[in-house]
Amino acid sequence: MATFDDFLKLDIRVGTVIEAEVFEKAKKPAYKLKIDFGKDLGIKKSSAQITEKYSADELIGKQVLAVVNFPPRQIADFMSEVLVLGTYSEGGVVLIAPERKVNNGDKLG
């Protein structure tokens, strides 16, 4: 079982997707995302397997939650720097997002 202290180690922040493109070299269908996490964290990259529920165009401007303190992960020729959060739902992954617009970089708390 994970402890509350384990949860507190995760740095989960809000960011806004500023670029999304099909990740051609990924083994499973995915997008390459660039996400703006505000002035302190800046722009980070992520590979996200969310193609069933989202088009690349509709992701632009969408706020998402992501873990920003995992080590970067090499996926094909791309370095994914953050883990975008979503639920494994019927028909594909549904992103977790704030219910209202908030500042980029806001921390889950």
Side-chain angles (χ1 to χ4, degrees):
M1 298 288 296
T3 67
F4 188 70
D5 287 338
D6 292 331
F7 175 74
L8 292 176
K9 292 177 187 176
L10 297 176
D11 189 359
I12 300 172
R13 304 285 182 119
V14 176
T16 300
V17 177
I18 58 171
E19 288 183 28
E21 65 180 74
V22 174
F23 190 176
E24 299 287 347
K25 293 185 179 180
K27 290 181 183 177
K28 295 180 181 178
Y31 294 121
K32 291 180 185 178
L33 304 177
K34 284 189 180 175
I35 305 168
D36 182 357
F37 288 97
K39 63 179 180 169
D40 291 338
L41 293 172
I43 296 170
K44 302 289 184 184
K45 299 180 294 182
S46 185
S47 171
Q49 295 175 357
I50 55 174
T51 58
E52 291 105 345
K53 294 267 189 196
Y54 301 94
S55 69
D57 289 341
E58 75 180 294
L59 290 168
I60 305 301
K62 184 167 187 57
Q63 288 196 306
V64 296
L65 287 168
V67 178
V68 299
N69 66 332
F70 281 151
R73 184 171 178 189
Q74 182 84 37
I75 302 171
D77 62 347
F78 184 76
M79 190 63 73
S80 187
E81 301 172 300
V82 299
L83 177 65
V84 175
L85 299 177
T87 63
Y88 289 100
S89 300
E90 188 174 325
V93 174
V94 174
L95 292 169
I96 297 174
E99 148 310 292
R100 295 185 182 150
K101 185 160 178 58
V102 296
N103 293 324
N104 290 336
D106 281 0
K107 188 172 183 171
L108 178 73

